[in-house]
Amino acid sequence: MSKEEKKVNRRDFLFTASYTVGAVGVGAVIWPMIDQMNPDKAQQALATTEVDISSIEPGKSITVLWRGKPIFIKKRTSEEIAEARAVKLDDLPDPQKDEDRVKDGKDEWLVMLGVCTHLGCVPLKDKGDFNGWFCPCHGSHYDVSGRIRKGPAPTNMEIPKFEFVDSNTIKIG
Amino acid sequence: MSEHEYTPKSKAGKWFNDRLPLLTLGAHLTDYPTPKNLNYWWTFGGILTFCLITQIVTGIVLAMHYVAHADLAFASVEHIMRNVNYGWLIRYIHSNGASMFFLAVYIHIFRSLFYGSYKSPREVIWIIGLMIYLLMMAAAFMGYVLPWGQMSFWGATVITNLFSAIPLVGDSITTWLWGAYSVDNPTLNRFFSLHYLIPFLILGLVVLHIWALHVPGNNNPVGIDIKKPSKDTVPFHPYITIKDAFALLVFMIIFAGFVFFTPNVLGHSDNYIPANPLVTPAHIVPEWYLLPFYAILRSVPDKLGGVILMFSAIFILFVLPWLDTSKVRSAVYRPIYRQFFWILVIDVLVLGYVGAMPAEGIYLVLARVGTIYYFLHFIVVMPVVGFLEKTDPIPMSISEPVLSGGAEPSVARKVNEKI
C-alpha cells in the first residue's frame, strides 16, 4: 500500500510540475498577445505638447489636442476665480479646492483635460447651470473650475501634468 | 444524431459516408421531425441564418475596398459609395442588414419568451442564443465605428468609456482597448480585425445552437413534449423548408424596401461628418437596436451603477430558465403571464423610445419607470406568477385541440370547414 502511494505521489509531482511549467509557458505567450494592444511607442511619443498661450484674452479659452484628447486652456477673469473659490467644498460631489487645480501664482490659467469623466464626451464651454461646461451626451454640469456639480459624471475634469516653460508657453505632459 | 439508420443508395455514397457521415447528417436534417403546428413566429431561425450569411458575404466584399485607417477610412467608405461598382448597393445591404438582423433576432427572442422555448430541456439552446446575441451587439458596435464618422467616433468613445467605470483597473483597461490615450487609429484597426472575426464566431455558435436544438427538437405553440416522429410531426423537408422560404421572401421584400427606398432612415446623419475628436455631437444616440439598454444606462445618476445595471439587463436573461417557475411552457395556456409578457414588450419599446430622446424631464422619469419594470418582470413577476397562476388545461397532443375543437379555435374551425 505504502509502496503504491509513493508511486502515486511521484506521478502527482510530475503532473504538478508539468502543469506549472505549462502554465508559465502559456502565460509567457499570452502576455505579448495582450500587451500588443496597449499604446505603442508611436502613441507614447506624442506624450508632450507645447502650446503658445500669449494670444488668449481674459475670459476666453482655447482647445488643443494632446494624446488625441482635447485640452481646455482657459484664462479666467478675476470674477470667475472668485466665483470658483466661493464654492463650499460640501456642495461638491468630488470635493477639491480651486487652488489645487491651478499652478500657484498662475491662478488665472485653468488647464484641464476637456473630457467628461462620465463617458468621455467633450463638454461645451459657457453652458450649464454653473457657468462652466456642460456635457451634451448625458447632462453633466461642470463649474468654472471644471469641477463636477450635477449629473452622472463621478469626478472633476482631470488636470493633466503641465508646466509653464515661460510666461507665454506651457508644456503639457 | 438521427434515430434511424441511413444508408446511401450508391456505392460511392456509401464509401464516402462510411468515412465521413455527411450524407447521414443531410438525411437527418431533411427528415428531422418537426411539430406540425409551428406558426410563422418559428420562421425567424431560418431568416436569421439568411441574415448572417448576407452580412458575411457583403462584409467580405466591403473589406476588399475599405481602408482601416483613421485618415482614410471615411474617404474609403465614400469611395465605396461613389466609385466601386455596385458599392452603394453592397454597403446599403450591409448597413441595413445589421438592422434587419436585429429586427429578426428580437422577434426570435420574444417568440421564445412567449412560448417558453427557453425552459427545460432547452436551456442550453437559450444560453447559446444569448451568446450569439452578445456577439451580434459587439459586431454591430464595431462595424458602426468603421466609417469613422462623428457618430462612429463618439459612439466608440462612450461605449469604451463604459469600462472606465470598473474600479481601480478601469482606466488601464480602457487605454488597453484603445491602444492609445483616446479612440484613435489603433482602435479603428483592431475594431476592424475583430469585426471581421466575430461573424465567424457567431457562425460556430449557430452550429451549436442548431445542434442543441436537434437534441430535444423544436418547442411548439402548444408547448408540450411530443413523440418524434409521430402524427404530431412532419419532416423538415419539404414542409418547413417551404414555409421558411415563404417567410424569408416576405422578409426580403421589407429588407429591399429599406435598401432601395430609405437606406439611411435607420442611421444618423451625423455619421456623414468625418470624425472630429474636438467636437462631440449635440445628441449622441446608438443604433436603434441598442436604445433600450442605452435608456437603462442613462436612467441611473451614477456612472458605475448605470454600467452595472445595463450589463445586468442582458445577463439576467441567462438565468431566465431558472427564474421562471411555471411548469407550463406556452403562454397560450398562461392567462396571467401572457399579460405580463405584453407589458414587457411595451416596456422594452418605451425604453427604446426614451433611449433616443434627451435624458431629461419626462423622458428620464419614463426611463426610470421602464428600467424598474424591466427588472421587476424577471426578478419578481416570473417566479411569483409561476407559483400563483392557475393555468388553463393543456392538451395531451398537438392533434387533440384540433380534433376536439378545443384550445385553438382558429385551427379547429379550419378543420370543420373542410368537413
Side-chain angles (χ1 to χ4, degrees):
Chain A
M1 190 66 203
S2 64
K3 217 178 178 184
E4 218 169 68
E5 254 176 31
K6 208 178 171 189
K7 262 186 186 169
V8 170
N9 286 339
R10 259 175 80 130
R11 179 148 293 186
D12 282 349
F13 171 76
L14 283 173
F15 274 136
T16 311
S18 310
Y19 286 143
T20 309
V21 173
V24 171
V26 169
V29 175
I30 284 179
W31 175 244
M33 299 303 288
I34 293 173
D35 192 41
Q36 54 84 20
M37 281 177 69
N38 272 318
D40 56 30
K41 298 278 187 303
Q43 290 291 336
Q44 288 170 7
L46 305 172
T48 60
T49 308
E50 288 199 10
V51 187
D52 177 12
I53 52 171
S54 56
S55 58
I56 305 172
E57 300 288 328
K60 299 287 178 199
S61 66
I62 62 165
T63 305
V64 296
L65 209 57
W66 174 67
R67 283 183 162 185
K69 283 177 177 165
I71 298 281
F72 295 156
I73 304 174
K74 185 176 171 86
K75 188 175 194 176
R76 300 183 298 176
T77 61
S78 46
E79 296 89 62
E80 284 172 331
I81 298 170
E83 185 190 331
R85 301 204 165 166
V87 178
K88 272 189 281 186
L89 282 187
D90 293 346
D91 294 342
L92 298 170
D94 179 20
Q96 194 180 17
K97 280 193 200 153
D98 182 62
E99 289 88 332
D100 297 339
R101 295 177 58 79
V102 293
K103 299 272 185 227
D104 260 345
K106 301 270 189 187
D107 296 331
E108 71 273 31
W109 291 106
L110 179 66
V111 179
M112 68 181 176
L113 211 50
V115 172
C116 179
T117 55
H118 182 225
L119 295 173
C121 297
V122 179
L124 304 167
K125 64 179 172 187
D126 304 326
K127 286 223 164 62
D129 299 350
F130 298 91
N131 247 337
W133 287 266
F134 171 71
C135 181
C137 289
H138 309 100
S140 292
H141 299 256
Y142 295 89
D143 67 14
V144 75
S145 186
R147 293 174 296 196
I148 181 65
R149 300 300 291 271
K150 200 172 113 183
T155 55
N156 304 331
M157 276 195 267
E158 204 182 312
I159 306 290
K161 196 168 153 266
F162 74 97
E163 59 190 58
F164 284 87
V165 178
D166 54 56
S167 56
N168 285 334
T169 316
I170 58 169
K171 190 170 95 178
I172 304 165
Chain B
M1 283 209 276
S2 188
E3 285 100 57
H4 57 89
E5 283 301 312
Y6 167 79
T7 328
K9 286 189 189 76
S10 72
K11 241 184 153 183
K14 194 173 177 316
W15 179 88
F16 181 80
N17 203 49
D18 284 346
R19 282 149 185 83
L20 179 67
L22 268 187
L23 297 170
T24 305
L25 177 65
H28 162 77
L29 293 176
T30 313
D31 301 340
Y32 173 62
T34 319
K36 65 179 180 184
N37 61 338
L38 295 190
N39 55 34
Y40 273 104
W41 300 115
W42 258 267
T43 60
F44 283 87
I47 287 170
L48 283 161
T49 312
F50 164 80
C51 288
L52 178 61
I53 292 166
T54 305
Q55 290 307 89
I56 289 178
V57 171
T58 53
I60 289 171
V61 173
L62 288 171
M64 295 179 186
H65 306 280
Y66 170 78
V67 186
H69 189 283
D71 298 338
L72 304 170
F74 189 88
S76 79
V77 170
E78 285 310 303
H79 160 74
I80 289 169
M81 293 302 289
R82 292 153 199 256
N83 301 337
V84 175
N85 299 331
Y86 295 103
W88 59 271
L89 177 65
I90 296 160
R91 176 167 172 259
Y92 277 155
I93 291 174
H94 196 72
S95 59
N96 284 283
S99 283
M100 300 313 289
F101 206 156
F102 276 96
L103 177 67
V105 92
Y106 282 128
I107 295 173
H108 195 62
I109 291 171
F110 275 107
R111 189 270 291 154
S112 189
L113 283 174
F114 187 84
Y115 292 110
S117 303
Y118 51 87
K119 291 193 213 189
S120 173
R122 296 184 180 82
E123 301 96 321
V124 172
I125 312 173
W126 170 253
I127 288 169
I128 294 172
L130 287 174
M131 289 162 72
I132 294 172
Y133 175 53
L134 279 178
L135 283 178
M136 278 175 64
M137 289 198 279
F141 157 65
M142 292 186 193
Y144 196 58
V145 175
L146 301 184
W148 213 240
Q150 272 290 67
M151 278 293 160
S152 299
F153 184 91
W154 291 103
T157 299
V158 168
I159 299 294
T160 49
N161 262 305
L162 292 178
F163 294 92
S164 72
I166 302 168
L168 302 176
V169 292
D171 283 332
S172 315
I173 289 178
T174 313
T175 306
W176 177 73
L177 287 173
W178 288 337
Y181 301 99
S182 62
V183 172
D184 209 333
N185 190 48
T187 324
L188 176 61
N189 253 289
R190 65 192 56 182
F191 277 19
F192 180 55
S193 170
L194 295 172
H195 183 71
Y196 209 119
L197 165 72
I198 291 174
F200 296 97
L201 297 181
I202 293 177
L203 190 62
L205 284 175
V206 166
V207 172
L208 294 183
H209 193 62
I210 295 171
W211 185 1
L213 168 70
H214 280 228
V215 175
N218 287 72
N219 183 29
N220 63 77
V222 178
I224 54 169
D225 292 321
I226 50 168
K227 276 205 201 76
K228 295 173 301 258
S230 71
K231 64 185 171 108
D232 278 347
T233 67
V234 289
F236 190 81
H237 183 75
Y239 292 94
I240 304 299
T241 40
I242 199 70
K243 187 166 185 165
D244 277 0
F246 178 72
L248 180 60
L249 211 66
V250 174
F251 184 79
M252 283 162 81
I253 291 170
I254 298 165
F255 193 158
F258 277 108
V259 169
F260 291 105
F261 294 101
T262 58
N264 288 309
V265 73
L266 297 170
H268 198 293
S269 52
D270 274 13
N271 220 29
Y272 284 101
I273 304 169
N276 179 357
L278 290 177
V279 182
T280 305
H283 289 288
I284 296 197
V285 278
E287 293 283 79
W288 68 267
Y289 39 80
L290 301 176
L291 286 173
F293 299 109
Y294 194 60
I296 291 174
L297 169 75
R298 294 195 307 182
S299 69
V300 185
D302 177 76
K303 183 173 171 179
L304 183 59
V307 173
I308 287 175
L309 214 60
M310 186 183 72
F311 281 108
S312 307
I314 300 166
F315 285 106
I316 198 167
L317 297 173
F318 280 83
V319 291
L320 187 60
W322 296 275
L323 288 175
D324 187 345
T325 52
S326 177
K327 295 263 187 308
V328 176
R329 287 200 194 97
S330 174
V332 171
Y333 304 100
R334 300 186 59 190
I336 308 295
Y337 170 73
R338 194 163 61 218
Q339 294 170 34
F340 282 110
F341 169 84
W342 288 112
I343 294 174
L344 180 72
V345 172
I346 294 163
D347 184 58
V348 171
L349 291 175
V350 167
L351 281 174
Y353 172 71
V354 297
M357 294 294 137
E360 59 199 28
I362 181 71
Y363 299 121
L364 195 55
V365 177
L366 277 173
R368 285 179 179 159
V369 173
T371 301
I372 290 166
Y373 180 76
Y374 182 90
F375 284 98
L376 278 183
H377 181 91
F378 293 113
I379 295 169
V380 178
V381 171
M382 285 205 126
V384 171
V385 169
F387 273 121
L388 301 180
E389 184 178 43
K390 188 180 180 306
T391 55
D392 295 340
I394 50 172
M396 296 299 289
S397 72
I398 290 174
S399 301
E400 194 198 58
V402 181
L403 298 175
S404 65
E408 282 208 301
S410 61
V411 181
R413 208 177 300 125
K414 225 178 263 170
V415 173
N416 289 340
E417 275 165 15
K418 266 184 203 158
I419 297 164

